[in-house]
Amino acid sequence: MKKNMLSAAFSLSLILAPAVLTTAFAAPTAVQVTASDSSGDLSYPALYTESSWMSLAVPLADLGGSVPGDLSLDAGTLPAGTTITLDGVTQTGDTALLHVTVSRADTGVSIDQIATINVMSGGQTVATLSIPVIGAASSD
């Protein structure tokens, strides 16, 4: 009887182990956020290039409940020359507004891409955000 129970327990652990390991080591899911104006009053579905008046509206819960003092952004999934720079952070209720400047080195090339932005604090990623970045090509 003991041998059958041990065998059943071992078999069950082999079945459940992959699911537990997959859950424990899964990459964090990117939080879909919206853009807003600098006051947080107006909402936009995307960040627009060549703008320095936009903010990323991030729920405080996604930042661990408060705004860390040493936040930085890493938007490494954008094409070369397209940057999102953190200019400052303000808190409005339960939302952090990450004030950003979005720019491109070459405005002659359009962009319409989902950005995956890592919000960093103390060298660690505290949140991963996802938002479209849009900019039309302009000619001289």
Side-chain angles (χ1 to χ4, degrees), residues 70-90:
D70 62 342
L71 284 183
S72 63
L73 300 180
D74 174 18
T77 62
L78 294 174
T82 304
T83 60
I84 300 173
T85 307
L86 181 64
D87 299 326
V89 181
T90 57

Side-chain angles (χ1 to χ4, degrees), residues 58-68 71 91 93-96 126-127:
V58 182
L60 284 177
D62 292 323
L63 296 176
S66 64
V67 178
L71 284 183
Q91 183 177 336
D94 61 352
T95 301
V126 294

